[in-house]
């Protein structure tokens, strides 16, 4: 995928540690809410940069996953950050449609643990 | 670790998918900034809930990692969220000390990719 010259710094990303995949967090650029976490291989990262739309690697379907292609809930990517160890990606996105979660919640993180370890739903 | 009755809902967390570990994102509760991503096993999650302080599993040292024990950069946990698939944790934390990153940056995400795939440092 892509021109190796064009994407040379992407070679620094440590895909090896995760057998070709790195975790990618998506954060709502407008509200700061953390929306979801998924995985990217190199092609997904390059596609995300090229298209300005979040593209992940589906571990269950084993294919490139242009988020929103079927649901319409696409993510316009405003910024692509990487952490100190170069093994985790953080996307700042404009979430479109009904939200990031397949349950149609805005964020996948809609439940919390109490201090006693009980799960409870939180208000959005 | 702990009383199984006390932490029964933690059994719902899908540790199996990640060979006993789940990714855990730490977000600054004051600024909304995503600080870091690390991993937790069940004991780390229970310890985090019990102590109200972020505790991870160090994959390199293969031991429980009470963040800040040596650096002083501890994370006071204000909320513990879990995602729709019950396989990713999101901590809302009050970061203490110099920051979350071992480089003494406040966040581990201090670099971004340009659209051309070049790495650049961002202002904090």
């Amino acid at each position: 995928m892509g021109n190796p010259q064009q994407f040379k710094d992407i070679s620094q990303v440590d895909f090896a540690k995760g057998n070709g995949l790195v975790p990618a967090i998506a954060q709502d650029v407008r509200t700061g809410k953390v929306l979801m976490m998924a995985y990217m291989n190199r092609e997904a990262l390059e596609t995300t940069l090229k298209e300005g739309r979040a593209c992940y690697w589906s571990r269950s379907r084993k294919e490139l996953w242009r988020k929103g292609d079927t649901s319409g809930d696409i993510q316009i990517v405003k910024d692509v950050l990487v952490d100190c160890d170069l093994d985790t990606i953080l996307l700042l996105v404009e979430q479109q449609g009904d939200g990031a979660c397949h349950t149609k919640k805005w964020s996948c993180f809609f439940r919390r643990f109490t201090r006693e370890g009980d799960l409870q739903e939180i208000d959005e």
Side-chain angles (χ1 to χ4, degrees), chain A:
Chain A
M1 276 300 295
N3 177 340
Q5 281 305 108
Q6 189 186 2
F7 290 112
K8 62 181 164 32
D9 279 358
I10 288 185
S11 305
Q12 296 183 44
V13 175
D14 187 356
F15 289 107
K17 203 185 288 173
N19 294 314
L21 301 180
V22 292
I25 303 158
Q27 182 177 26
D28 188 320
V29 70
R30 287 178 281 220
T31 65
K33 197 182 272 262
V34 174
L35 297 174
M36 58 178 282
M37 208 211 69
Y39 291 86
M40 284 183 170
N41 61 3
R42 180 175 173 143
E43 186 182 357
L45 178 54
E46 290 187 357
T47 304
T48 296
L49 287 165
K50 255 188 283 194
E51 300 185 356
R53 239 189 85 178
C55 179
Y56 304 99
W57 176 259
S58 168
R59 294 186 300 173
S60 54
R61 298 193 307 272
K62 299 191 197 320
E63 62 181 23
L64 218 58
W65 167 32
R66 279 185 177 76
K67 177 151 177 66
D69 259 1
T70 48
S71 66
D73 303 334
I74 71 170
Q75 296 174 331
I76 307 296
V77 173
K78 309 309 278 187
D79 218 347
V80 180
L81 280 62
V82 64
D83 75 341
C84 52
D85 295 329
L86 288 155
D87 63 4
T88 306
I89 300 292
L90 173 61
L91 303 179
L92 292 173
V93 305
E94 277 180 10
Q95 177 66 52
Q96 311 283 304
D98 291 326
C101 189
H102 71 286
T103 65
K104 299 295 178 188
K105 302 267 186 189
W106 194 253
S107 164
C108 293
F109 297 94
F110 57 83
R111 281 173 295 182
R112 62 186 295 274
F113 281 111
T114 65
R115 288 295 291 272
E116 292 72 38
D118 297 324
L119 266 179
Q120 61 181 203
E121 198 149 331
I122 55 177
D123 299 325
E124 289 203 82

